[in-house]
Structures are given as structure tokens and as C-alpha cells.
């Protein structure tokens, strides 16, 4: 799918996301916020943001695959982190590295928003990730 990742020179040049993504396609895939649970609904990685990030990214990949998409088709991610602090970003990155077999885009990162929140849907949940993809 034709996708153009743009980082205008007058905006910050982030290594983990693109400022603008222009995608051309005919099917949009919207993945609801995925959580760090296994197929049986059990929390994975209690108290461990890196482990929860890995599981959540794997769940995003599974949801995308059900629609015939992969991380390469993602144009936007929304990431919500409970109790965000100065160490959260490094833990999220560690989870991304652990899930790199399913969660890496070969051409660069999509547009993304990371929001720290007071709490998420269930006790112990530290992260939730939603995605939008565009297919040809």
C-alpha cells in the first residue's frame, strides 16, 4: 500500500513515531484498544509494563491479521498508559523490542499518540493500544 511518512523539518524529529502519515487505500481497519490479556482473558505481566506492552502489541498483531493486515499497514497508534512516569517510555520500548517479530514496520513508525491516564479498564492493566490501518 502506498504510504508516505512525513516529518516536517520545522517539527521535532521523533525516533518512535512519524508526525504525519498519508495513506492511499480502499479499506480502513480500526482495531479497538487491545489489552495485556491472553486468549482466556488472563492478565499477562502483572506490574510489568514491558511485559504488558509486549502482550498488547501481540494482541494488536492478532487483531490486524484477522482483517488481513499487519503492522506495516498501520497509519496510527493510540497508546494509553496508566500511571505514566519518567521510566514508562523505556519500558514501552523494551516491550516493543520483545514483540519486534510482529510489531515492527520496515519503513518507519506510524503516527502515534501516547497518553498517560490515571487508570484503565481493569485492575492491574498498565497499557492499552488501539490502531488504525489502511489496506489497498
Amino acid at each position: 500500500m502506498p504510504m508516505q511518512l512525513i516529518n516536517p523539518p520545522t517539527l521535532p524529529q521523533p525516533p518512535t513515531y512519524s508526525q504525519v502519515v498519508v495513506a492511499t487505500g480502499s479499506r480502513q481497519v480500526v482495531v479497538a484498544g487491545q489489552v495485556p490479556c491472553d486468549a482466556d482473558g488472563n492478565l499477562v505481566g502483572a506490574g510489568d509494563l514491558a511485559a504488558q506492552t509486549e502482550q498488547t502489541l501481540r494482541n494488536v498483531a492478532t487483531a490486524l491479521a484477522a482483517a488481513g493486515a499487519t503492522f506495516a499497514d498501520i497509519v496510527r497508534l493510540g497508546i494509553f498508559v496508566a500511571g505514566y512516569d519518567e521510566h514508562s517510555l523505556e519500558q514501552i520500548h523494551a516491550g516493543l523490542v520483545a514483540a519486534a517479530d510482529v510489531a515492527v514496520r520496515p519503513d518507519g513508525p506510524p503516527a502515534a499518540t501516547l497518553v498517560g491516564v490515571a487508570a484503565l479498564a481493569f485492575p492491574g492493566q498498565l497499557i492499552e493500544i488501539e490502531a488504525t490501518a489502511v489496506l489497498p
Side-chain angles (χ1 to χ4, degrees):
M1 170 199 50
M3 190 179 309
Q4 181 182 13
L5 306 177
I6 303 170
N7 283 300
T10 55
L11 292 177
Q13 302 298 301
T16 56
Y17 65 93
S18 295
Q19 295 285 7
V20 180
V21 178
V22 179
T24 304
S26 62
R27 289 181 55 213
Q28 182 177 16
V29 177
V30 178
V31 176
Q34 296 299 299
V35 299
C37 292
D38 62 19
D40 295 322
N42 299 308
L43 178 67
V44 173
D48 184 341
L49 181 56
Q52 287 196 16
T53 299
E54 178 184 1
Q55 180 65 42
T56 302
L57 289 168
R58 292 187 181 286
N59 291 349
V60 170
T62 297
L64 288 167
T70 70
F71 263 79
D73 300 307
I74 292 176
V75 297
R76 184 191 169 284
L77 288 173
I79 304 167
F80 306 91
V81 179
Y84 186 88
D85 66 21
E86 67 274 6
H87 303 293
S88 297
L89 196 54
E90 65 192 45
Q91 295 172 9
I92 293 166
H93 184 263
L96 176 60
V97 169
D101 59 313
V102 297
V104 172
R105 291 173 44 103
D107 59 343
T113 299
L114 175 68
V115 179
V117 297
L120 289 163
F122 61 87
Q125 179 184 356
L126 300 175
I127 190 164
E128 186 162 329
I129 301 174
E130 60 186 19
T132 303
V134 176
L135 298 175

